[in-house]
Amino acid sequence: METRIIGLTNLFSASIVLEEPWYIRSIETHGAEVHVYVDIREGNMLPCAECGEMCLRAGYEKTERVWRHGDVMFYPCYVHCRRPRVKCKKHGTKVVSAPWARKNSRFTLLFEGYAMLLLMDMPILKASRLLRCNEKSLVRILRHWVGEAVEHDDLSEVKQLAIDETSFKRGHSYVTVVVDALKRRVIDVEKGRKAEAVIDFSYHLESKGGSCENIESVSSDMSGAYRSGIEYCFPYALHTIDKFHVKKLLLDGMDEVRRSEQKEHTSKILHLGRRLLMIPDTKQSVTQQEQTNALCKKYPKTGRAYRMVQALDIVYASHSYEEAQERLKSLCSWLRRSRLEPMKRVGLTLQKNAKEILNVFITKLTNAICEGINSMIQAAKRKARGYHTFEGFSSMIYLIAGKLQLACPNPLRLWE
Ligand SMILES: [Zn+2]
């Protein structure tokens, strides 16, 4: 019995953006694969791949090329073509570009667009299984589209920055992430976490229309490397150390106190209480507050360290710069006189960075913005897990948090 299929060729043509003089010669199935053979009609002038000038035809490329296309009824689909050549007066003999793929890619544009959609939402390993395409090829696709969008990025309006480090390859390598604090998007990812990373960013900024002299404020952690990079590159910027990093310093100090007190008492309860103590008292439930009070009473050193952490929130709740300055000063002296080694060290670090910590009361960089930026970077980092090279990891951070304008086609909008 004969089966009639109507309109399938047209659908294929649309999905690989075929227009005259290109046409589909045949569609065949070989085993569990679908193969689409594309040809081009004789006799037309065609555009040179370099300059776009219409030129006379000059035969075909030597061998047929194959591109992977989106699956058809869950079977892998391939597009075949021997592309024609033209003789350009300026560029000599050139192969005509196929409208369904970008130069040097073994995938159709629509396949790449679909791959980008998947990469936004799932780990690379999973995307690679669903697409039946190896991870290396996926990273190449990702790098191309992200790289192209970054190339056209406009940084001329950037005035406020947040700079932070993040690790990859299980903590063996670091990258520096630069965020436009006002637009809340990642604008650069650089190798390493030294002053050079900040300097490299400054070149990137200026090459994309921005200016180092326009930078009004920069927030970062307390590392000396960032500090010197920031002072060198952004002479007019107010440097702020954001609350997130100050708080982390105190929490780490408290945890060290807890661990040593735990050893003294060989206490399991204190170990179980470590998460409880990380919750600020204002955000604890009544039961949690009771448990914390009991824990702090029984273990006085940890208890004191916990109260010091809470005192930091009081510094940040100040209504003026002067008030905050006063409160930070008394917190520092409390820490230094605490007879708890880790807290004493924290006190000294805070004192050394007091000016930058208090700058937050001058800049308009609110805690909400800093926290938002931090959670954005964390989300990007989770998605970038599984990328083993700097290029893959940084492209993923850009894709998730860069708010980029990607030029690849979206296959879900084919019928719009
Ligand atoms: Zn040309």
Side-chain angles (χ1 to χ4, degrees):
M1 193 178 75
E2 189 192 336
T3 308
R4 292 189 62 206
I5 302 172
I6 302 163
L8 191 64
T9 318
N10 289 345
L11 264 187
F12 267 112
S13 296
S15 80
I16 54 174
V17 210
L18 269 201
E19 279 174 12
E20 284 290 333
W22 302 92
Y23 69 98
I24 291 177
R25 195 178 68 227
S26 65
I27 300 170
E28 297 169 15
T29 57
H30 302 313
E33 291 172 351
V34 179
H35 296 265
V36 180
Y37 293 87
V38 176
D39 219 335
I40 191 158
R41 295 188 208 288
E42 288 295 334
N44 292 299
M45 303 267 280
L46 291 167
C48 161
E50 293 287 323
C51 60
E53 200 73 38
M54 294 304 273
C55 309
L56 282 173
R57 289 179 58 160
Y60 291 85
E61 62 186 333
K62 277 201 188 100
T63 48
E64 180 192 78
R65 294 253 307 191
V66 185
W67 293 263
R68 171 79 191 277
H69 191 40
D71 289 359
V72 177
M73 290 175 281
F74 305 105
Y75 293 109
C77 172
Y78 300 88
V79 176
H80 299 246
C81 182
R82 233 180 109 195
R83 295 166 300 175
R85 293 184 307 189
V86 289
K87 202 157 203 170
C88 174
K89 278 176 192 149
K90 271 189 226 151
H91 301 100
T93 308
K94 288 277 164 195
V95 173
V96 173
S97 318
W100 55 86
R102 62 184 172 85
K103 208 177 166 187
N104 298 328
S105 174
R106 295 278 176 185
F107 302 93
T108 63
L109 286 170
L110 216 58
F111 182 93
E112 296 197 341
Y114 188 50
M116 292 298 283
L117 281 185
L118 293 191
L119 288 175
M120 272 183 225
D121 281 325
M122 61 181 70
I124 184 157
L125 189 66
K126 202 170 168 191
S128 129
R129 277 190 203 132
L130 283 180
L131 291 163
R132 282 178 280 216
C133 165
N134 67 51
E135 287 184 40
K136 264 192 182 163
S137 302
L138 281 182
V139 170
R140 265 202 296 276
I141 293 172
L142 173 71
R143 281 182 60 188
H144 170 80
W145 293 106
V146 167
E148 195 199 51
V150 170
E151 191 57 42
H152 295 106
D153 212 5
D154 174 15
L155 302 183
S156 59
E157 308 266 294
V158 176
K159 288 193 172 73
Q160 301 194 350
L161 304 173
I163 298 179
D164 204 1
E165 60 169 51
T166 189
S167 65
F168 79 112
K169 281 206 273 190
R170 295 169 193 256
H172 291 297
S173 289
Y174 283 86
V175 297
T176 294
V177 179
V178 185
V179 173
D180 178 341
L182 287 179
K183 291 198 175 148
R184 294 198 195 195
R185 67 181 194 100
V186 168
I187 52 173
D188 194 24
V189 183
E190 294 288 347
K191 271 184 187 158
R193 50 172 171 173
K194 297 211 168 108
E196 286 79 15
V198 181
I199 296 169
D200 289 342
F201 163 69
S202 73
Y203 294 141
H204 177 78
L205 175 72
E206 303 234 317
S207 75
K208 297 281 171 284
S211 157
C212 291
E213 293 178 355
N214 283 351
I215 302 301
E216 296 164 353
S217 79
V218 184
S219 79
S220 77
D221 62 11
M222 269 166 268
S223 90
Y226 281 160
R227 178 195 285 262
S228 60
I230 290 165
E231 277 168 12
Y232 177 75
C233 296
F234 312 110
Y236 305 116
L238 206 59
H239 183 195
T240 308
I241 287 160
D242 65 77
K243 186 186 169 184
F244 173 81
H245 288 106
V246 181
K247 184 91 183 233
K248 189 170 181 301
L249 193 74
L250 273 149
L251 285 173
D252 289 348
M254 176 183 73
D255 208 47
E256 221 180 304
V257 174
R258 177 193 60 77
R259 268 183 278 133
S260 76
E261 198 169 26
Q262 188 178 306
K263 265 186 210 150
E264 282 170 36
H265 294 262
T266 56
S267 159
K268 270 214 174 105
I269 305 168
L270 207 47
H271 178 69
L272 293 173
R274 75 190 192 285
R275 280 185 192 282
L276 183 68
L277 294 173
M278 294 287 167
I279 309 170
D281 57 359
T282 47
K283 286 187 182 161
Q284 285 184 338
S285 68
V286 179
T287 328
Q288 283 174 327
Q289 274 175 2
E290 282 167 6
Q291 286 169 336
T292 307
N293 288 341
L295 213 62
C296 292
K297 219 173 186 174
K298 198 164 177 201
Y299 303 100
K301 288 179 187 169
T302 308
R304 264 191 293 146
Y306 180 76
R307 283 199 300 280
M308 287 166 195
V309 175
Q310 308 316 310
L312 183 72
D313 287 336
I314 299 172
V315 174
Y316 278 103
S318 304
H319 295 290
S320 69
Y321 183 92
E322 290 71 23
E323 194 179 24
Q325 193 175 28
E326 209 44 55
R327 287 177 179 176
L328 183 64
K329 207 174 146 194
S330 41
L331 174 62
C332 286
S333 77
W334 184 17
L335 288 165
R336 283 196 332 273
R337 290 183 286 104
S338 66
R339 281 172 285 127
L340 302 168
E341 262 325 302
M343 301 317 271
K344 273 161 83 174
R345 262 184 281 130
V346 171
L348 283 172
T349 313
L350 291 191
Q351 203 169 20
K352 217 170 81 189
N353 293 285
K355 186 171 160 266
E356 286 77 16
I357 293 172
L358 291 168
N359 273 347
V360 87
F361 290 90
I362 301 173
T363 60
K364 289 185 184 87
L365 227 58
T366 63
N367 291 328
I369 291 180
C370 289
E371 266 161 40
I373 288 168
N374 189 62
S375 57
M376 191 179 78
I377 292 174
Q378 293 309 319
K381 205 178 142 176
R382 274 195 297 279
K383 294 250 169 70
R385 216 178 275 158
Y387 290 82
H388 304 295
T389 60
F390 167 76
E391 285 75 16
F393 186 77
S394 61
S395 299
M396 200 57 200
I397 300 258
Y398 266 123
L399 182 66
I400 301 300
K403 298 185 182 170
L404 295 171
Q405 295 291 323
L406 295 173
C408 53
N410 183 340
L412 302 183
R413 296 211 181 116
L414 251 189
W415 53 85
E416 277 176 8

